[in-house]
Amino acid sequence: MSSARPAPEDDPELAAEQGYVTGLHRRLDDIRAVVVTRLDDALASVAHNPQAVGEREATVQLYTERLVALDAAESGLCFGRLDRRDAVVPRYVGRIGLQSEDGGEEPLLVDWRAPAAQPFYTATPLHDLGVRRRRHIRTRGRTVVSIADETLDLDDPDVAQRSGLAGESVLLAELNASRTGRMTDIVRTIQAEQDRIIRADHRGVLVVQGGPGTGKTAVALHRAAYLLYTHRERLARSGLLIVGPSPTFLRYIADVLPSLGETGVVLADVGSLRPGVEAHADERPEVAEVKGRAAMADVIAAAVADRQSSLDAPVEITIDGTTLRFTPTDAARARTRGRAASRLHNEARPAFARRVIDRLAQRYADRLGADVRGGDSLLDATDVAALRREIAGEPAVHALIDRLWPRLTPERLVRDLFDSRERLEAATPGWSDTDRDLLLRPPSSPWTPADVPLLEEADELLGVDDSAERAAARRDEQRRRRDAQETLDMLHGSRSTDAETEEEAEELSAGDLLDAEGLAARQDVRDSRTTAERAAADRTWTYGHVIVDEAQELSAMAWRLLLRRNPTRSMTLVGDVAQTGSLAGATSWAEVLTPHLGTHWRTEELTVNYRTPAEIMEVAAAVLAAGGSTASAGQSVRSTGVRPWALRVTDADLAAAVVAAAKAFEAEDGTLAVLAPPSRISAISTALLGRALPESSADLTAGPVVLPPAGAKGLEFDSVLVVDPDGIVSEGVRGHNDLYVALTRATQRLGVVHTGDLLPELRGLKPA
């Protein structure tokens, strides 16, 4: 009972919708003109009055964000209409909300995130929510090209004879469209089970479990847009973080939120969560697993404590011809003083250093026959202070302090730890030599994603000795106050008391309105960056909400990092434990979340597979079962009638067969991915593309893409060619999971090229 009208010019209903949509765009243009004018005024105000930067930056940001939202709404401004039993005027649904100029009760257009728009996604014939008819409006630019109706009130003969049920046809048309290498929003076709999750309470930790193609990523991104709309003020201050599995994935989803008018979001993978560090080097899975263990938190803590050293024998330091002894007891007492001052290594260092200098000064004074603690002394307070300064400036004393309590960066701590078997043994009591060997590496080794949580853990324990910076800031503030006072004095002095009239004397000057402190404060340069820009650059930033895609891949140490970034525990985690490919990842949500959250998390499940045709899912389900998983694969909503195929070739002919099969797939519309075990990526990439490219540089919009299964997580392609499935299983630490991921990336066509006998679980493939 579905109907999707063609678009003849003489269709009266289509013409009526075109007229209304044209009116919406006129209103959009009017609003844009006002926003542009106000933005220009705000920018001009800043240009003419530099001291107004701090006051105007919020206004500029507000109007800039509004323009972004208006521009994003231009494409597909209005996509839905609800005809309700209790209202004569239909309700239109779109990307943003638009009010009429006279401010009528019914808006011209309801934002898809508003409660009033929810029936567009959730009303059914059994629970119609007061909706008689739901209309899907498809536009190209500003032109309405088709309308498709769903009758929800089947007892209404007037509605029933005009149209039927069309929601499924609209959804299938979207699903069957060719991909472009960039993810698009699903705002027109959000389904009821997805809408429930998108609009769920932001409080607490929500886990969204779903098989391949169930729309986990789309739901997560639309939930981000919904939360930014519903809790705009709070999230505008605290920001929203989205964590994905790889740089390739982040490029794939980068257009979705801007297309919904939301740009104030930080997108990152674990390897880029630490400002200033790009950690995307590859390493063996077993090494990443060791680094990801929760026990590494104790290892980092032990490594920090180990750098707060003691002495085995006295140290002699010669100052101005006088030899001073610094004993193991002196060192132990200084260490106790430092640890009592602060739990953070670098912040405690000044207290340790003062204790060392005080002890050496005492010894120096004793050699001079004086006592710095008072009493009858040959030295007065000025002399004692000079002694301490002399000792504090002595290079040998600096070297002693650095030896016993060095100033450390997280990078230095972790590099030194992994470069030294002695330090590793001290920090890992009870560990096996095998595990220690996995951590050993040269200090020149590049950072990997598994290193980032360790660097963050070290940062939490080291802190920053910013005493020099604070002293410099105090001096700068004093200088600005002096300059401000001189400016006010000059202004006040320019008013000649002898010459001024009574009227002039009554006028207010700058000195009457401001003191030096106030004028100095106005000279401060405000931070004009957006919330997202400031958050991305600040390691200590805490976000109002965090969304994690492919969350099943995170290690215990990565969870510690993310939970620090979100102390309110307002999180959305989406993933599928049946697709876990990392040794450090989850086999169940309870396994990874209970140690951190106890029972304070809840689960929703997506059960409908929108991406993968039934013919492909039949093969993938057999692989899932062969891997021993009990997770649900999800029910496919469509069938293409095209069976996936398998081609057996010799190892010598593999590269040529892949090139030929890829060319055959490229003759079809849409995108193509060639997925292979890591050991074959370089050879296949060279044969197919003429060059070997790192996974991080994969361009999903240009020609075929060659990736390992782990690099394809969260992505989708019209056609997928899986190469050497046996190699994928044998090389992966959770091999059947990796093969399951590879098989379920296709939206239309799937082929498998293999050498040797086909895996039994792939016998459902058609011989090619």
Side-chain angles (χ1 to χ4, degrees):
M1 285 182 54
S2 65
S3 69
R5 276 188 192 79
E9 294 182 1
D10 57 353
D11 186 324
E13 288 201 51
L14 192 64
E17 295 294 23
Q18 179 63 63
Y20 193 83
V21 169
T22 299
L24 291 176
H25 279 279
R26 288 199 193 100
R27 177 65 177 145
L28 186 72
D29 290 340
D30 292 342
I31 295 173
R32 183 187 283 109
V34 172
V35 173
V36 168
T37 299
R38 292 178 179 174
L39 177 59
D40 288 342
D41 290 345
L43 290 172
S45 174
V46 172
H48 293 118
N49 182 12
Q51 292 186 1
V53 170
E55 300 171 8
R56 299 295 182 180
E57 63 187 16
T59 304
V60 171
Q61 182 177 336
L62 174 66
Y63 288 132
T64 301
E65 290 177 352
R66 184 61 173 156
L67 271 182
V68 169
L70 294 173
D71 290 340
E74 178 71 34
S75 175
L77 174 62
C78 176
F79 55 79
R81 167 178 155 174
L82 296 172
D83 294 339
R84 298 161 292 165
R85 282 195 300 269
D86 59 353
V88 176
V89 178
R91 174 173 292 164
Y92 286 87
V93 180
R95 290 175 176 272
I96 61 172
L98 290 177
Q99 293 289 336
S100 60
E101 292 189 56
D102 59 8
E105 291 186 9
E106 182 68 31
L108 293 174
L109 190 65
V110 175
D111 191 298
W112 67 274
R113 296 166 287 191
Q118 191 168 9
F120 184 78
Y121 302 108
T122 58
T124 67
L126 291 179
H127 302 284
D128 61 28
L129 304 178
V131 177
R132 298 164 56 240
R133 179 177 64 174
R134 174 167 46 209
R135 169 165 287 178
H136 299 266
I137 303 171
R138 185 165 170 263
T139 60
R140 184 177 296 119
R142 295 189 171 196
T143 303
V144 177
V145 295
S146 67
I147 53 179
D149 293 330
E150 293 177 82
T151 300
L152 300 182
D153 186 354
L154 300 180
D155 295 329
D156 186 333
D158 183 48
V159 173
Q161 68 173 264
R162 284 202 307 269
S163 61
L165 290 168
E168 185 174 303
S169 65
V170 172
L171 173 63
L172 292 178
E174 292 287 334
L175 297 178
N176 286 318
S178 296
R179 270 51 181 175
T180 65
R182 284 283 190 267
M183 188 177 186
T184 57
D185 65 71
I186 60 167
V187 65
R188 296 176 62 241
T189 58
I190 293 171
Q191 301 301 293
E193 80 168 358
Q194 296 172 331
D195 185 78
R196 183 183 70 253
I197 294 170
I198 289 170
R199 297 175 190 269
D201 193 337
H202 72 284
R203 292 170 294 186
V205 176
L206 172 64
V207 177
V208 182
Q209 163 68 33
T214 54
K216 299 183 297 296
T217 299
V219 166
L221 294 173
H222 287 71
R223 177 161 170 77
Y226 170 77
L227 293 176
L228 288 166
Y229 171 85
T230 309
H231 306 285
R232 175 76 62 188
E233 184 176 346
R234 184 176 68 86
L235 291 178
R237 294 192 308 268
S238 59
L240 190 148
L241 170 66
I242 297 178
V243 180
S246 68
T248 301
F249 173 85
L250 295 178
R251 289 195 296 272
Y252 173 64
I253 68 171
D255 295 340
V256 175
L257 285 170
S259 75
L260 298 173
E262 300 295 351
T263 57
V265 174
V266 177
L267 298 178
D269 63 313
V270 172
S272 58
L273 271 175
R274 182 172 176 78
V277 173
E278 283 298 320
H280 293 113
D282 293 327
E283 66 185 345
R284 289 151 52 201
E286 56 269 29
V287 177
E289 187 274 328
V290 173
K291 291 180 180 179
R293 294 176 186 173
M296 284 301 298
D298 295 330
V299 172
I300 298 298
V304 173
D306 185 54
R307 303 304 291 271
Q308 299 166 2
S309 306
S310 58
L311 288 175
D312 296 327
V315 173
E316 293 187 345
I317 296 176
T318 301
I319 299 177
D320 197 19
T322 302
T323 299
L324 307 176
R325 285 169 59 86
F326 191 77
T327 68
T329 301
D330 295 333
R333 288 175 177 170
R335 183 170 64 177
T336 300
R337 176 69 62 86
R339 289 177 173 175
S342 174
R343 69 175 187 84
L344 301 181
H345 174 89
N346 288 329
E347 293 183 11
R349 187 176 186 270
F352 173 84
R354 283 194 299 271
R355 177 68 179 184
V356 172
I357 292 168
D358 286 345
R359 190 58 178 156
L360 289 172
Q362 175 69 56
R363 292 267 163 78
Y364 201 2
D366 288 345
R367 293 295 299 272
L368 296 176
D371 185 355
V372 299
R373 290 169 297 183
D376 296 331
S377 174
L378 299 176
L379 305 177
D380 59 19
T382 302
D383 296 326
V384 172
L387 263 184
R388 295 186 80 262
R389 285 195 299 271
E390 182 179 357
I391 292 171
E394 184 65 35
V397 175
H398 286 188
L400 176 62
I401 293 171
D402 287 339
R403 171 186 167 187
L404 298 179
W405 198 296
R407 182 182 287 108
L408 294 171
T409 65
E411 288 77 8
R412 178 183 170 187
L413 177 82
V414 174
R415 287 195 191 282
D416 289 351
L417 174 65
F418 290 165
D419 181 44
S420 167
R421 178 174 290 279
E422 181 182 358
R423 285 198 174 102
L424 269 175
E425 289 177 349
T428 56
W431 280 43
S432 69
D433 287 337
T434 301
D435 285 346
R436 292 192 187 111
D437 289 342
L438 290 173
L439 294 177
L440 278 171
R441 68 181 187 192
S444 58
S445 300
W447 297 114
T448 71
D451 289 323
V452 170
L454 306 184
L455 295 172
E456 293 288 293
E457 191 75 26
D459 232 326
E460 291 293 311
L461 298 173
L462 292 175
V464 179
D465 176 10
D466 61 351
S467 53
E469 289 80 359
R470 285 187 281 110
R474 285 195 298 270
R475 290 193 297 271
D476 185 61
E477 183 180 356
Q478 291 168 358
R479 178 192 57 75
R480 284 188 287 104
R481 287 186 180 181
R482 286 196 303 270
D483 292 347
Q485 187 62 59
E486 290 175 4
T487 300
L488 292 176
D489 290 344
M490 290 174 61
L491 289 172
H492 186 72
S494 66
R495 298 170 63 190
S496 173
T497 306
D498 295 335
E500 69 183 7
T501 64
E502 182 178 346
E503 181 179 349
E504 290 172 334
E506 291 178 354
E507 294 179 357
L508 293 176
S509 71
D512 298 318
L513 298 173
L514 280 176
D515 57 14
E517 183 176 355
L519 183 58
R522 288 198 171 206
Q523 295 172 348
D524 285 344
V525 177
R526 300 285 185 94
D527 190 343
S528 60
R529 294 174 298 172
T530 65
T531 297
E533 290 170 337
R534 286 184 285 119
D538 186 352
R539 188 199 70 80
T540 63
W541 192 276
T542 56
Y543 292 89
H545 194 82
V546 172
I547 293 175
V548 185
D549 205 332
E550 302 295 342
Q552 76 279 355
E553 301 296 335
L554 295 187
S555 68
M557 290 300 294
W559 282 117
R560 285 175 64 90
L561 184 162
L562 289 178
L563 289 168
R564 282 197 202 99
R565 300 291 179 92
N566 183 241
T568 61
R569 302 298 189 262
S570 175
M571 305 179 80
T572 303
L573 316 176
V574 301
D576 179 15
V577 291
Q579 297 184 59
T580 303
S582 166
L583 270 176
T587 56
S588 75
W589 293 114
E591 172 195 4
V592 295
L593 296 180
T594 301
H596 304 286
L597 301 170
T599 60
H600 302 294
W601 53 282
R602 62 193 191 278
T603 306
E604 292 279 359
E605 186 169 7
L606 292 169
T607 61
V608 180
N609 186 333
Y610 300 100
R611 174 204 302 147
T612 319
E615 294 84 355
I616 296 177
M617 276 313 299
E618 182 179 348
V619 176
V623 171
L624 184 64
S629 175
T630 58
S632 170
Q635 182 67 41
S636 294
V637 300
R638 65 194 178 101
S639 173
T640 61
V642 179
R643 283 184 60 194
W645 52 262
L647 173 65
R648 180 174 180 172
V649 299
T650 65
D651 200 66
D653 293 334
L654 181 65
V658 168
V659 172
K663 287 182 178 178
F665 272 148
E666 285 189 284
E668 306 284 351
D669 289 334
T671 55
L672 167 64
V674 179
L675 307 181
S679 65
R680 293 190 183 271
I681 291 295
S682 179
I684 291 174
S685 180
T686 300
L688 192 62
L689 307 175
R691 62 199 185 282
L693 293 175
E695 175 194 330
S696 60
S697 66
D699 183 354
L700 303 182
T701 64
V705 178
V706 181
L707 292 170
K713 273 190 167 61
L715 309 180
E716 63 181 18
F717 307 88
D718 294 281
S719 302
V720 170
L721 184 63
V722 176
V723 180
D724 188 10
D726 188 67
I728 290 176
V729 172
S730 61
E731 291 185 27
V733 293
R734 304 180 194 270
H736 279 88
N737 289 15
D738 290 343
L739 183 56
Y740 181 59
V741 169
L743 295 172
T744 54
R745 300 305 96 192
T747 67
Q748 301 292 342
R749 296 164 289 274
L750 172 68
V752 175
V753 177
H754 63 102
T755 60
D757 294 335
L758 193 63
L759 291 170
E761 50 269 31
L762 295 178
R763 295 287 167 80
L765 294 169
K766 176 181 71 173

